[in-house]
Amino acid sequence: MEGFYSMRIILIRHGQTDENKENRYLGHFDSPLNNTGREQVEGLVESLKKLEARGICYSSDLLRAVETSKIICHAFSLDLKVYPDLRELHFGDWDCHTYDELNEKNSVGLHRWISNPFEYSPPNGETLTELGARVDRWIKQNIFLNGGEDCLVVSHGGPIRWILSKWLLNDESQFWNVQNIRHGEGLILEVDVIRNIWKHKGNI
């Protein structure tokens, strides 16, 4: 690692699912991409060609992320490594429900979670602190120990928000405030591994 300066991370959000289209909270429920989602990823591949995508592709183990990753890996002949730590937040009993449905059934619990997701979780789900712990574990094991090799990371809205707030801005309290990317889109991060400096280099 001596003398090494930076590596490039292409951070990608999986393509759309039917639940995403209906604005449902989608956590660990294993939903596939819909036709729009597959088209989004195919379009992303064309944009990635301009970046000469290379290295390893890391993915959440949920189907919508794996399907997204396989389309990309096939296009660029990349190796795929799948990690449960890159999963979306576990919404527990709230999975596949809309905000309006939850607000009608359990408005107190819903707004308590929204106001402090670090300490409160959806029923039988996980807190943002728990999500952050597993994403941080994955970063320490795979970004800081991979020898500086460029990589693609295919994940979900929650983990991407965590990476942008905790690692890019050094302030996880900005979780709700960071500008996330839409389904089937990506962004480029440059990471100085030695000094742990993260920079946003543009969106895809």
Side-chain angles (χ1 to χ4, degrees):
M1 189 70 73
E2 183 179 357
F4 170 71
Y5 176 64
S6 65
M7 63 176 291
R8 184 177 66 169
I9 300 174
I10 301 175
L11 190 57
I12 294 168
R13 189 174 182 182
H14 66 81
Q16 185 190 80
T17 70
D18 286 342
E19 291 79 9
N20 296 146
K21 182 179 180 180
E22 297 169 356
N23 293 316
R24 297 182 180 278
Y25 287 104
L26 182 59
H28 288 192
F29 182 78
D30 213 8
S31 179
L33 299 179
N34 60 20
N35 289 335
T36 297
R38 285 184 284 273
E39 290 172 0
Q40 289 170 337
V41 180
E42 294 288 355
L44 180 64
V45 165
E46 293 304 310
S47 298
L48 289 172
K49 288 179 180 178
K50 301 174 185 177
L51 298 175
E52 299 179 355
R54 59 186 184 272
I56 300 173
C57 181
Y58 299 98
S59 175
S60 156
D61 67 336
L62 293 174
L63 181 58
R64 56 195 184 272
V66 172
E67 286 185 344
T68 299
S69 300
K70 285 183 175 180
I71 294 171
I72 296 170
C73 288
H74 176 75
F76 297 99
S77 300
L78 302 178
D79 291 331
L80 175 60
K81 295 187 177 182
V82 176
Y83 289 86
D85 280 347
L86 291 172
R87 283 186 175 195
E88 179 60 282
L89 182 79
H90 187 8
F91 287 108
D93 297 348
W94 292 354
D95 222 345
C96 297
H97 290 280
T98 66
Y99 173 91
D100 289 340
E101 289 171 348
L102 296 173
N103 194 38
E104 182 178 346
K105 295 178 181 178
N106 186 6
S107 63
V108 174
L110 176 63
H111 290 281
R112 183 177 65 173
W113 170 72
I114 290 174
S115 65
N116 190 358
F118 293 92
E119 295 184 12
Y120 296 108
S121 68
N124 297 310
E126 66 179 342
T127 65
L128 189 54
T129 301
E130 291 171 319
L131 176 145
R134 56 180 169 83
V135 173
D136 288 352
R137 178 172 62 235
W138 178 85
I139 287 174
K140 292 172 183 176
Q141 292 174 348
N142 295 281
I143 298 301
F144 291 104
L145 297 179
N146 81 342
E149 185 177 19
D150 287 356
C151 63
L152 285 79
V153 181
V154 180
S155 190
H156 311 262
I160 291 172
R161 281 186 179 274
W162 182 265
I163 292 171
L164 295 178
S165 58
K166 167 70 180 292
W167 293 91
L168 180 64
L169 300 180
N170 293 307
D171 185 1
E172 56 263 38
S173 70
Q174 295 299 309
F175 181 85
W176 290 127
N177 298 324
V178 295
Q179 184 175 359
N180 210 340
I181 51 179
R182 294 179 294 184
H183 295 106
E185 295 186 353
L187 58 83
I188 306 166
L189 299 174
E190 185 179 78
V191 182
D192 180 333
V193 176
I194 295 175
R195 295 183 292 173
N196 189 25
I197 297 174
W198 295 58
K199 296 180 181 180
H200 177 216
K201 305 299 288 187
N203 286 26
I204 310 168

